[in-house]
Every structure is written in structure tokens, then in C-alpha cells.
Amino acid sequence: MATSIGTLLLGELQALSTEARRKHPEIKEAAERVIVLMRGIKATDSAQIAAELAKSDEVVGPFVLGCKSGNQRLVAASVQCLQQLVSHQAVSPRSIRATLGTLNAVGHLGTDIQVKVLQMVLPLVTMYDGSVFGETLVEALHLCLALQRSRDLIVNNTAAAILRQVVVAVFDRVVAEDGAHTAGEDHCADSAERDMTRRYAKDAYFVLQDLCLLAAGGDSIFIRVDAVDQGLILDLLESVLANHAAVLARHAAMVQILRERLAPFLVGFFGEKAPFTLAVRCTRIVWLFVRDLHGALAAECEVLLALLARLIDPGAAKPAARRQSISAQHPVALVPSKAAGAGGLPVFYRVLAAEVARLALQDPRLLCGLYAQYDGRGTDGSRVVADLVAAMAKLATEQPELRASNGGGGGIPAADSTAGAGQGAPPAAADGAADPRAAQLGPHNSSLRAELHRLLDKHDPPSVPETYLVYLALTTVTAVADGLATHTLERCSRTVATAGPDAAT
């Protein structure tokens, strides 16, 4: 096993030389030069052999020529050998860009070859990260995007998955790069100019910029792409926000991109009708904005929270003066006539907004943080949290006949009764004394197997129970009360414990 890479490569080179000797003498000569090189390596350990091979640019030569030959057998053998070289880190850093260019050239040849090509991209980015940046990174991204347009589902899904991992890896490298700076440097004070002087921060900036441009239907600048699936781009943005919101928040240039490109797109998106699959993805991004970036993008998150409230309650009062000035560039976001259920947007917009509102309101720490940032300041008339709670409370009272029919046997659902979306509904109560009309509102007939914002694989919205929105609102109001009570008691208990027994009495 110790000499696996050497033994394997010698056998493949000899086979390649034999196959190419008549019609492709240049491949035969290149293969024989590498055979001579390998026989001169004295090391026996696989890692040492790979390290020696990585010193020479000639090692990939016969395989690059084989990929360019047009001969199916030579191409398949060459791609297989390149995959082995890449996985063992036996490729010279100077040869990586040429290798990626070659892989781009054979990306149209058959499913097996395309999958092997894709399997090389992530190792090249992660294992050779010191060499894959700038234009070389562009080659890697272009390769994934080109193959993602394949009609073959295996290739399409593989390309999308690897592209997502590559994009996240680009931002992983920024974390390491930030950590490499001196401990005394204030990362929070990073300027846009400083971001542009760092290799990996610069790459991440351009990738983020292009993703935001492509999401909004614009043309990319850094990434070469002819056509792109908007849903895939939104998935990539969600991956970046979900994994590296902290990285974005501490880099001024990236924050500026989110402020100037992504936030306006999100605000404008919810003013027009769009397919369910895109609405789900934009909703998930709005949630990540609110949860993780309300500190770095306070004004933008305020507008998004106000937008959620208006989607939930189209008849709500106009926003505060400060919020009106913030959203002046995108008035469509706060126009009642465009709100869901008001003759404009489909009802699933309202459901998605209510689900995100519940996520925000049922988290006591996040709720307190949002209140402190907006309503609690009391200097600019901002009531973003109060408006959101009021919208959910208004939603809970929209069908008074349900409250009447619940009488004494139904009651408000428990705060956590919808927490396990996708789980089986609990059995109906067996109490014969309960009002049978209470069955109109409960987890058994008012919840969904999976919340709408989780349905990434659905092109059309599922059927939503008529009582779902009311049930969602009631559980949210209950969760707010329970969560704040628990959070307050915990803080009071810590205060008493810190002050000692005298303070407790």
C-alpha cells in the first residue's frame, strides 16, 4: 500500500504509451519521460513519492495531451490518472491552472468522465489552496457551473453539491487568513481597501459580489458563466450566510456588497410575484439576515422585518419615519396592495413570512437583541419588533369562529406543538366531555408535515390547511410569552445568585 501511487502511475503510463504509440507519438514520448522520472525517485513511501512528483511540471503532461487527443479511451485513462494525481497531491502547483483548463475542455464527454472531472475540483481548491486563487479559482468555478447545466441528473446534482462546497471553502480560507494576522489587529475595523489586499478575502469578495449580481439577474464580473439557475445561486448565497455570517460581518467590503446588492434585491423580490421555489429560498436568506446580520446591517434588517410584518398583516399602519426613509429606494416592499392575500401576491408569501416571524419571535435571546437594537432605543420611533408581534397577534384573531368553537375544550395550542415539523401528529383527545368543535384547531389538522420554508425540493406549494396561519400565530404568541418568561426568570436567578443570600431576602 506504501507504493500504491508509484505502482499505479507506472502501470497507467505504460498503458497510455502503448495505446498512443501509433496515432499520438507526442503522448507516447511524454509518458516515457515521466516513466524515466519516476524510476529515478528513490523514495518508497507514497507521500514522499507524491511530493517528488509535485516538483515537476512534466508529470501531468501526458495526461493533458491524452485529454486533448479526442480518443475516448485515451481521454478516459488520462482523466482517471489525473484524478489519482490530484487526490495524492502529486500535481505541481504551477500545473494546476492548465489542468483545470484541460478538465474544462473534456467536460462534455460522457457522464463517467464528467463525474470524475467534478470529483477533482474540490480537492484542488482545498488541498492546493495556496495555488488556487484568482484566475485559477475562476477556472474551478466555471467548470462546476458549466457541468451544472447538464441534463444528466447525476452530473447536475454532483456539480451543484461540489459548487456549494467550493464556495463555502472560499470563505473557510478567509477565516484562516484572518487568524494569521497579528493578535493586536482589530479585524472589526477592516476597511474595504484592506480586504482588497488580502488574497483570500479578495477572492471571497468577488465571489460574493458575483453571486449577488447573478441572483438579481445581472451579469457576473469575476466568475465566467453564460447562463445560470437563479435557484442555485440563491442556494449558494444561503450556504455562505449560514456558514460564514461572522466572516461577512467583520469585512467592510463584504458588508457593503450585501448592503448595496443583496438587500435591495430581497426587498424588491417580495413586492412582485415569483415562483414558489424562489420565494422559499429568498425567505430563508431573509431569515439568515435577521438572525445573524442585524448588527452589521441594522437598517436593512429593519426594512426586512417591517416587510415581514406587512406581508402578515397587509392592513398594518405605515412604518415609522426612519423606516420610511430607509426604504425610500424600494417603496414596493411596504405597499399594502402588494401584500400577500391582498389581491397581489399568492398566499404562500404570507405563510412564509409568518414562519420566519415565528422563528425570530420564539427565540428569546434573538428577540431581546432585536428589541434592544430597534424598539428599545426609543429615539427614532422604531417599533419593528412590536409591529411584528402585533401582526402575528392580528393574524391569530382573523377567524373568531375558531376561538368560539374551541370553547373550553380546545384552548390555545402549546408553544412547542409545531416545533417538530415533519413528525406525526399527536392523537386526538379522547375526553368525551370536550366540545367536538374544538377539533377545528389543533396540531392534528392545522399543522404541516414540513413547514413551507423547508421545502427546497418542491416547485409548487403544497395544500395548506385553512387553519394553519391561525394555528401558527397562536403558537407564536404562546412561544413569545413562554420564552420571555423563562428568559427573564433565568436572568433574575443569575442576578440573585451573584448578589448572594442577602439580596435574595
Side-chain angles (χ1 to χ4, degrees), residues 3 107 197 204 241 276 291 300 306 396-397:
T3 57
T197 65
L241 291 168
F276 175 72
R291 187 189 70 182
E300 290 70 25
T397 63

Side-chain angles (χ1 to χ4, degrees), residues 12-232:
E12 294 290 349
L13 284 166
Q14 290 166 349
L16 193 67
S17 176
T18 301
E19 179 71 27
R21 69 176 183 268
R22 291 184 179 179
K23 294 186 177 180
H24 302 280
E26 71 283 1
I27 298 177
K28 179 178 181 296
E29 293 173 6
E32 290 177 348
R33 286 197 298 271
V34 178
I35 290 173
V36 171
L37 173 66
M38 290 197 63
R39 287 175 175 166
I41 297 175
K42 304 301 181 183
T44 58
D45 180 74
S46 186
Q48 293 176 339
I49 294 173
E52 290 296 322
L53 292 173
K55 295 177 182 178
S56 173
D57 297 347
E58 287 191 340
V59 173
V60 300
F63 310 119
V64 169
L65 292 172
C67 288
K68 294 178 179 179
S69 67
N71 181 299
Q72 187 72 19
R73 293 179 63 180
L74 289 177
V75 171
S78 297
V79 169
Q80 175 69 27
C81 289
L82 283 173
Q83 186 180 18
Q84 292 294 328
L85 288 171
V86 168
S87 65
H88 285 84
Q89 289 185 270
V91 176
S92 165
R94 294 180 298 274
S95 303
I96 291 176
R97 187 172 178 185
T99 301
L100 284 167
T102 300
L103 296 178
N104 265 306
V106 300
H108 64 285
L109 300 175
T111 299
D112 291 342
I113 289 177
Q114 290 175 328
V115 171
K116 284 185 171 64
V117 165
L118 286 167
Q119 289 171 344
M120 283 185 256
V121 177
L122 186 61
L124 281 170
V125 173
T126 57
M127 297 166 64
Y128 299 80
D129 62 338
S131 303
V132 182
F133 63 93
E135 287 299 320
T136 307
L137 177 63
V138 170
E139 288 283 355
L141 294 170
H142 175 72
L143 180 55
C144 292
L145 285 166
L147 290 177
Q148 198 277 328
R149 297 200 301 271
S150 170
R151 294 183 180 180
D152 187 293
L153 287 179
I154 295 175
V155 176
N156 182 290
N157 292 334
T158 301
I162 289 177
L163 181 60
R164 187 176 295 109
Q165 294 176 74
V166 169
V167 169
V168 171
V170 168
F171 288 85
D172 286 340
R173 301 190 308 191
V174 181
V175 176
E177 185 178 60
D178 287 349
H181 289 283
T182 58
E185 184 176 347
D186 181 9
H187 295 305
C188 294
D190 279 354
S191 65
E193 292 79 8
R194 181 180 297 172
D195 286 347
M196 294 299 98
T197 65
R198 299 179 182 175
R199 174 185 295 177
Y200 298 138
K202 185 176 180 180
D203 278 348
Y205 169 84
F206 283 122
V207 168
L208 180 65
Q209 174 183 251
D210 277 4
L211 291 179
C212 293
L213 288 170
L214 291 169
D219 296 326
S220 59
I221 298 172
F222 181 68
I223 305 171
R224 296 197 306 272
V225 59
D226 298 324
V228 68
D229 177 3
Q230 189 179 18
L232 172 65

Side-chain angles (χ1 to χ4, degrees), residues 428-435:
D431 184 358
D435 188 339

Side-chain angles (χ1 to χ4, degrees), residues 175-315:
V175 176
E177 185 178 60
D178 287 349
H181 289 283
T182 58
E185 184 176 347
D186 181 9
H187 295 305
C188 294
D190 279 354
S191 65
E193 292 79 8
R194 181 180 297 172
D195 286 347
M196 294 299 98
T197 65
R198 299 179 182 175
R199 174 185 295 177
Y200 298 138
K202 185 176 180 180
D203 278 348
Y205 169 84
F206 283 122
V207 168
L208 180 65
Q209 174 183 251
D210 277 4
L211 291 179
C212 293
L213 288 170
L214 291 169
D219 296 326
S220 59
I221 298 172
F222 181 68
I223 305 171
R224 296 197 306 272
V225 59
D226 298 324
V228 68
D229 177 3
Q230 189 179 18
L232 172 65
I233 297 301
L234 293 173
D235 284 343
L236 295 176
L237 282 168
E238 182 189 346
S239 294
V240 172
L241 291 168
N243 289 281
H244 289 301
V247 171
L248 302 178
R250 69 172 174 255
H251 284 267
M254 298 183 202
V255 170
Q256 195 64 19
I257 283 293
L258 295 176
R259 177 177 291 118
E260 295 179 354
R261 301 289 186 185
L262 187 55
F265 163 71
L266 292 173
V267 171
F269 178 89
F270 289 98
E272 303 294 338
K273 294 180 181 179
F276 175 72
T277 182
L278 296 182
V280 168
R281 284 161 170 80
C282 284
T283 299
R284 292 166 69 92
I285 292 175
V286 167
W287 161 237
L288 293 174
F289 253 70
V290 171
R291 187 189 70 182
D292 299 324
L293 294 171
H294 60 271
L297 295 166
E300 290 70 25
C301 287
E302 182 177 359
V303 172
L304 291 173
L305 286 166
L307 173 57
L308 293 176
R310 296 287 282 178
L311 286 170
I312 296 166
D313 178 16

Side-chain angles (χ1 to χ4, degrees), residues 341-383:
L345 302 177
V347 70
F348 65 73
Y349 274 79
R350 195 181 192 195
V351 176
L352 289 169
E355 288 179 350
V356 172
R358 181 174 67 173
L359 289 173
L361 297 176
Q362 71 182 3
D363 182 341
R365 294 185 181 277
L366 176 59
L367 181 58
C368 290
L370 293 173
Y371 182 86
Q373 179 152 347
Y374 300 117
D375 304 47
R377 291 187 175 181
T379 57
D380 52 20
S382 177
R383 285 174 41 87

